[in-house]
Amino acid sequence: MKRYFSLIFCCLLVICAAFSGCTEPPSGDGDSSPGENSSQMSSTGDDSPVVKILVDLDCTRYGSGEVGYNAMTELLYWIKANNGPKIEIEYVPHTGTERDSRITSLQTQIMAGEGPDLYIVACSSPESISIRKHPEHPFLFPYVQSVMRRNLFLPLDDYIESARFMEWDKLTPAVMEAGRTEQGQMVLPMTYDFEATVFNRSDVSFYDSLPLTWDEIFPSRDLALWVAGSYNDTKFGDALGKLADYDTLKLSFSEEDLARVAYETCYLLGQNITGGFSEAPPHLSYLFSRHNGRALSSVSPPGLLVEEEPAIVPLYNLQGGVTANVTSFVAIDANTDCPEEAFFIADLLLSKKVQQSSFFSCVDGVPMHEDLLQVTDKVSLVKDDPDPWFFSDAGYAEYCRVRSEINAVKFYSPLDVTLTEMYDVIFTGRIVSQEEIAEIAAETYRVLQMMLDES
């Protein structure tokens, strides 16, 4: 059932008072004063516009409804602290028939030009939407990069030039570029994730040869590389890199690529499960994301807070780089009547202070702001976090190196879901024949192209 959270100025005063212990609100120049655009962004005046926000975040995966409530209350604090606009929030139901019906209704409204002003959306990955239990879970925007090309979102370049809060040059460029079309920046990614395995650097003989391509991993017979390559199960498509060209609506990999990566992935994971990597050096494989933050900060040995320098070996793709997956984004509806006010909130969400706050407690991924996760710029995993997430100096340097190797970025989509289903068929069915896997790959490839044609 649709739920509204309507706020007027006096309500925000109460919320602000409740958060009197929070840190100073964010500002692009370190000053939280309204600035020269305050007359357009201020919430003063009875006739000021109300920004209608649609929130579709995967809060139920990471705790009770309290997690989502605390996250949004945190955002309300930042809006009020910076003299933001009045807002009205709708939360999209996360599961069940209520979600199905509301998603269908919303999609109809959006296509008719009657959508909300602002979208705050999580791009749920196959495992975060529990695809094995709920394959029917509908996406609000199934193919974000296709929607970006349909003039449904507002181009943001002009607004970004006068942004108050975000520091554009410090937002991971390769990931941000995924939200751009020929019309400009249409979507602002807020978080993303990637796969990687942590070793002690002295155990990694190939360190000076990084980055590598996926095709260098399998024939190497290096156990450390094989360990890193075996962590490609639930994110099976990441080794393929960019999945599709949404301008031409063509897949970016071949059927042969799909069959080869499927066979090699299942072989490596099989080796891992059956003890074939028992002689591999100590390691920990993780999805680099907020919800593995404490493990990534504190595990020892190995880890990112150890005396010896770590080596982070990501899951390399066919093109010789790292595949990043956008896990959440913010966008403004093309037909909004209050673009400046809507952008105020989008701008705030990309600020350093909000990026490291507990607002993102129900969104997976790492922050877009590149200064975060240092010892001096820790990230809260929950409200009033006594043990925030950060990397040691050596760990942060490794994290920056891997981040610089990102060469493919995608928004999670039904294409990822279909690839995960293909992996399940092969691995759970104990299919080891290359011929059989090639047949499954051929059918999957046909289905993927059909899905892309209809995107």
Side-chain angles (χ1 to χ4, degrees):
M1 181 179 294
K2 180 170 61 174
R3 292 181 295 154
Y4 283 100
F5 191 0
S6 298
L7 297 113
I8 59 176
F9 188 66
C10 62
C11 294
L12 286 171
L13 286 173
V14 175
I15 294 170
C16 184
F19 279 82
S20 58
C22 290
T23 56
E24 288 296 314
S27 176
D29 57 6
D31 179 5
S32 62
S33 60
E36 61 182 4
N37 294 325
S38 62
S39 61
Q40 295 175 316
M41 296 182 179
S42 173
S43 57
T44 58
D46 294 338
D47 59 348
S48 59
V50 176
V51 179
K52 295 182 179 179
I53 305 175
L54 186 71
V55 176
D56 187 18
L57 298 179
D58 191 1
C59 297
T60 59
R61 183 188 180 206
Y62 307 115
S64 67
E66 183 180 356
V67 175
Y69 175 80
N70 287 340
M72 294 310 300
T73 307
E74 178 91 352
L75 176 60
L76 298 177
Y77 166 78
W78 293 108
I79 293 172
K80 168 56 192 164
N82 286 275
N83 298 322
K86 294 184 292 186
I87 63 174
E88 181 179 271
I89 301 176
E90 177 188 348
Y91 301 93
V92 180
H94 183 63
T95 58
T97 57
E98 290 182 346
R99 178 176 180 84
D100 294 345
S101 60
R102 186 56 187 144
I103 288 290
T104 299
S105 175
L106 282 167
Q107 289 171 341
T108 300
Q109 292 173 20
I110 293 167
M111 292 300 294
E114 300 173 354
D117 301 301
L118 186 74
Y119 304 95
I120 302 176
V121 179
C123 305
S124 298
S125 64
E127 64 269 35
S128 72
I129 61 173
S130 304
I131 190 60
R132 293 169 177 81
K133 296 180 181 179
H134 305 289
E136 75 286 353
H137 181 105
F139 292 81
L140 175 60
F141 299 110
Y143 301 91
V144 176
Q145 288 167 293
S146 181
V147 173
M148 284 163 43
R149 289 158 171 79
R150 294 180 184 168
N151 302 318
L152 295 179
F153 296 145
L154 183 71
L156 300 175
D157 287 0
D158 291 342
Y159 300 93
I160 291 170
E161 287 182 4
S162 57
R164 286 179 54 199
F165 307 114
M166 70 174 72
E167 298 171 90
W168 184 255
D169 293 341
K170 293 186 177 182
L171 303 176
T172 306
V175 179
M176 193 59 76
E177 184 67 21
R180 175 172 289 276
T181 69
E182 291 182 354
Q183 290 184 289
Q185 193 74 36
M186 311 300 288
V187 164
L188 296 172
M190 297 190 299
T191 53
Y192 65 96
D193 65 24
F194 59 87
E195 308 273 9
T197 301
V198 183
F199 300 90
N200 286 317
R201 190 174 302 184
S202 61
D203 292 331
V204 179
S205 61
F206 52 83
Y207 183 80
D208 290 336
S209 300
L210 299 178
L212 301 172
T213 69
W214 171 268
D215 288 331
E216 292 175 282
I217 295 175
F218 192 69
S220 74
R221 306 196 70 81
D222 185 296
L223 286 183
L225 265 182
W226 275 20
V227 165
S230 70
Y231 196 57
N232 186 34
D233 50 357
T234 57
K235 298 233 176 145
F236 172 58
D238 286 7
L240 297 168
K242 181 181 176 182
L243 295 185
D245 184 327
Y246 284 90
D247 289 317
T248 63
L249 293 182
K250 297 295 182 185
L251 294 171
S252 298
F253 57 92
S254 68
E255 180 184 316
E256 292 73 22
D257 290 335
L258 180 58
R260 185 175 75 258
V261 171
Y263 170 76
E264 293 170 355
T265 295
C266 289
Y267 178 86
L268 293 178
L269 189 60
Q271 289 290 307
N272 197 350
I273 290 175
T274 58
F277 296 159
S278 59
E279 300 299 318
H283 61 275
L284 284 165
S285 294
Y286 277 107
L287 175 68
F288 269 60
S289 68
R290 182 177 295 258
H291 295 284
N292 287 327
R294 286 203 173 85
L296 288 165
S297 293
S298 61
V299 288
S300 178
L304 297 179
L305 294 179
V306 291
E307 292 183 5
E308 186 169 5
E309 288 189 342
I312 302 177
V313 182
L315 175 65
Y316 285 113
N317 57 38
L318 290 170
Q319 296 77 37
V322 178
T323 301
N325 295 279
V326 176
T327 53
S328 66
F329 69 89
V330 58
I332 298 175
D333 193 271
N335 294 299
T336 179
D337 292 327
C338 48
E340 291 86 1
E341 291 80 4
F343 182 76
F344 177 96
I345 298 169
D347 185 11
L348 199 58
L349 286 167
L350 271 296
S351 69
K352 182 178 179 180
K353 284 292 186 181
V354 175
Q355 283 263 302
Q356 68 184 138
S357 76
S358 63
F359 167 72
F360 290 100
S361 59
C362 62
V363 178
D364 220 341
V366 297
M368 287 290 292
H369 198 290
E370 294 191 330
D371 285 350
L372 297 179
L373 296 177
Q374 301 182 74
V375 174
T376 54
D377 288 299
K378 302 175 183 180
V379 171
S380 296
L381 299 175
V382 295
K383 182 177 177 291
D384 300 324
D385 195 346
D387 186 22
W389 176 20
F390 69 99
F391 297 146
S392 66
D393 290 343
Y396 179 74
E398 274 294 278
Y399 168 65
C400 291
R401 176 188 61 77
V402 173
R403 190 172 59 196
S404 72
E405 295 173 352
I406 294 173
N407 68 348
V409 182
K410 56 188 174 72
F411 293 75
Y412 282 122
S413 75
L415 299 180
D416 293 279
V417 174
T418 299
L419 287 169
T420 299
E421 291 172 338
M422 172 187 170
Y423 166 82
D424 281 350
V425 168
I426 294 171
F427 192 76
T428 59
R430 301 292 189 269
I431 299 172
V432 297
S433 164
Q434 285 184 275
E435 291 75 17
E436 287 183 84
I437 290 176
E439 291 178 5
I440 295 171
E443 174 60 17
T444 302
Y445 193 85
R446 184 190 68 80
V447 171
L448 290 170
Q449 184 57 64
M450 182 176 64
M451 293 168 66
L452 193 57
D453 290 339
E454 297 173 353
S455 68

